[in-house]
Amino acid sequence: MKCTRMDQLLSLVICTLLLLLKAEGVAVPITYVQSAVAKGAVCLDGSPPAYHFDKGVGAGIDNWIVHFEGGGWCNNVSTCLDRRDTRLGSSKKMDKQLSFSGFFSNGKKFNPDFYDWNRIKVRYCDGASFTGDVEAVDPATNLHFRGARIFVAVIEDLLAKGMKNAKNAILSGCSAGGLTSILQCDRFKTLLPAAAKVKCVSDAGYFINVKAVSGAQHIEQFYSQVVQTHGSAKNLPQSCTSRLSPGLCFFPQNVAAQIKTPIFFVNAAYDSWQIKNILAPGVADPHGTWRNCKLDINNCSPNQLTTMQGFRTQFLQAISGLSNSPSKGLFIDGCYAHCQTGMQETWMRSDSPVLANTTIAKAVGDWYYDRKTFHQIDCPYPCNPTCHNRVFDQNKLPEF
């Protein structure tokens, strides 16, 4: 029986749809770490921590990616109460399934170096990048500040599920989770088998200490309050806290150079979250003159773009020196973006952002497997035509 042209077209459409679905990733169910509750390793509301686990296959069975979710921070009882009854403070409110794509895709075509690894996404529910540990719980609020305990409890749970046999392992994270992968990088290595090849990847986690457009040090004050509220000081790198106040040790620029475990930084030089919340937060822009610019970089005035170029200059100063280390990798594109590893379109696709003709996926893979070092910093906006610049819904412009 011969196929008609219509049959062939239909087959082509079906194959294309299947490829697109695979690129978008599979839905992975949630796992609650019930054993963590007895250790006091719980979310803000006292519920157990949780993660999503897509198991490795074949040659990847002993290789692990443990990725920590982002979602900002809470800096006092009031803001933590605002989070407590949401997915960012309670595992009871989390989606029961998450889609895995990009860095977490199980498709060789879309994630050639890591598709067959064990891939875990740890949900974020503590509000301090998994650094807090306060024993006391106020019965009036029932707030638990236990992020550091969650970090250890989750790793211990995964070790019991096979990670104790890991040959390769990556600690990664996006945004506030990207900060986790920086602050906890060396600790992660100590928890893994001594023979394992362990590295870290921070995606959009390099938050810098700069003044807002008003001239105020909003982010420095905010981070100091986060660390104080959550009792984070004892869980921050001692290489920093021995020199600086704990609040300053929440900034990667003060800890990154001392990290001993190899680490790769993926970041936009015009990080959209930092532009919105550090450079031009609502409190520093009472008349809303930055609002349209923050929604879409194409809306920015010449003066605003000049200010943003100044932010880039400060960002590059904050990462200066890291490119001198062969164990550290840099992919700093000139895009208006935030979190680029977990989406197929920015991780690896025909139109993905590239530096030196290299996608993020290839840069990270080459670096992890020691095929090639990668220290690339993009030219200033708007020079890179491969950027996927973020455009935000005017009704959804979250600020901390």
Side-chain angles (χ1 to χ4, degrees):
M1 178 179 175
K2 292 185 178 180
C3 289
T4 66
R5 181 170 177 78
M6 185 61 72
D7 291 331
Q8 293 171 341
L9 286 171
L10 185 59
S11 295
L12 180 61
V13 169
I14 291 172
C15 286
T16 301
L17 286 172
L18 287 173
L19 282 172
L20 287 171
L21 285 171
K22 196 165 183 64
E24 284 302 311
V26 294
V28 180
I30 198 167
T31 297
Y32 299 98
V33 190
Q34 297 291 353
S35 61
V37 177
K39 304 171 185 177
V42 292
C43 299
L44 285 171
D45 72 334
S47 59
Y51 58 74
H52 300 253
F53 183 1
D54 197 14
K55 293 185 178 180
V57 296
I61 198 73
D62 291 325
N63 301 335
W64 297 74
I65 294 172
V66 184
H67 176 86
F68 283 77
E69 182 183 38
W73 309 270
C74 58
N75 63 325
N76 54 43
V77 169
S78 177
T79 57
C80 290
L81 282 173
D82 288 342
R83 294 167 73 96
R84 186 191 62 188
D85 300 320
T86 73
R87 66 175 180 83
L88 292 173
S90 173
S91 59
K92 299 174 186 177
K93 303 293 184 179
M94 294 173 182
D95 290 338
K96 299 298 186 288
Q97 293 186 324
L98 278 188
S99 178
F100 279 28
S101 62
F103 193 17
F104 316 102
S105 172
N106 63 358
K108 186 174 183 179
K109 177 178 179 180
F110 307 106
N111 189 26
D113 284 314
F114 308 106
Y115 74 96
D116 56 355
W117 286 36
N118 296 284
R119 287 150 288 109
I120 295 95
K121 286 188 179 183
V122 183
R123 302 304 297 270
Y124 184 34
C125 66
D126 72 281
S129 289
F130 299 91
T131 63
D133 191 355
V134 176
E135 181 65 33
V137 177
D138 185 344
T141 62
N142 194 40
L143 284 172
H144 296 70
F145 302 116
R146 305 283 181 76
R149 294 193 198 184
I150 292 175
F151 182 86
V152 174
V154 165
I155 301 304
E156 289 177 345
D157 194 64
L158 294 172
L159 289 170
K161 291 181 177 178
M163 199 163 67
K164 66 179 183 295
N165 302 314
K167 295 177 181 176
N168 294 285
I170 293 175
L171 171 67
S172 79
C174 150
S175 193
L179 180 58
T180 300
S181 69
I182 297 170
L183 298 176
Q184 302 279 22
C185 183
D186 285 337
R187 181 171 297 161
F188 179 71
K189 182 172 175 57
T190 66
L191 296 171
L192 271 285
K197 179 177 183 176
V198 178
K199 298 189 178 185
C200 305
V201 175
S202 170
D203 181 7
Y206 210 96
F207 300 93
I208 65 171
N209 188 8
V210 296
K211 292 180 180 179
V213 290
S214 63
Q217 295 278 171
H218 287 296
I219 190 64
E220 182 176 313
Q221 180 184 22
F222 184 85
Y223 272 2
S224 179
Q225 292 167 347
V226 170
V227 169
Q228 178 66 32
T229 297
H230 291 262
S232 300
K234 58 184 174 291
N235 296 307
L236 299 174
Q238 290 185 351
S239 60
C240 179
T241 55
S242 63
R243 299 178 291 113
L244 300 171
S245 66
L248 292 176
C249 295
F250 219 60
F251 288 102
Q253 66 203 76
N254 295 325
V255 302
Q258 284 75 48
I259 296 173
K260 297 176 182 178
T261 307
I263 183 167
F264 195 106
F265 299 96
V266 178
N267 230 101
Y270 309 89
D271 184 282
S272 57
W273 195 94
Q274 295 194 56
I275 297 296
K276 290 189 296 177
N277 296 286
I278 295 179
L279 181 65
V283 67
D285 180 36
H287 302 295
T289 55
W290 276 81
R291 183 170 179 80
N292 288 334
C293 173
K294 292 189 291 184
L295 288 170
D296 184 344
I297 196 170
N298 290 311
N299 295 334
C300 297
S301 69
N303 285 341
Q304 288 170 332
L305 286 174
T306 297
T307 301
M308 290 169 67
Q309 299 295 7
F311 175 89
R312 173 183 178 271
T313 298
Q314 292 180 84
F315 184 88
L316 298 186
Q317 289 173 346
I319 64 168
S320 63
L322 299 183
S323 58
N324 296 328
S325 169
S327 71
K328 293 179 171 62
L330 293 174
F331 189 107
I332 311 298
D333 57 37
C335 308
Y336 185 63
H338 185 67
C339 289
Q340 300 178 88
T341 61
M343 296 183 293
Q344 198 60 50
E345 58 265 32
T346 45
W347 173 247
M348 194 190 83
R349 210 170 64 178
S350 60
D351 63 343
S352 290
V354 294
L355 294 182
N357 296 315
T358 305
T359 62
I360 296 172
K362 180 163 175 49
V364 172
D366 284 349
W367 166 83
Y368 183 83
Y369 285 108
D370 302 311
R371 297 190 292 251
K372 187 187 298 183
T373 57
F374 198 88
H375 300 110
Q376 292 292 328
I377 297 172
D378 208 355
C379 47
Y381 174 86
C383 74
N384 190 337
T386 68
C387 279
H388 287 231
N389 294 318
R390 295 285 299 272
V391 177
F392 296 92
D393 185 327
Q394 63 178 350
N395 298 315
K396 297 177 181 178
L397 192 64
E399 295 177 344
F400 72 80

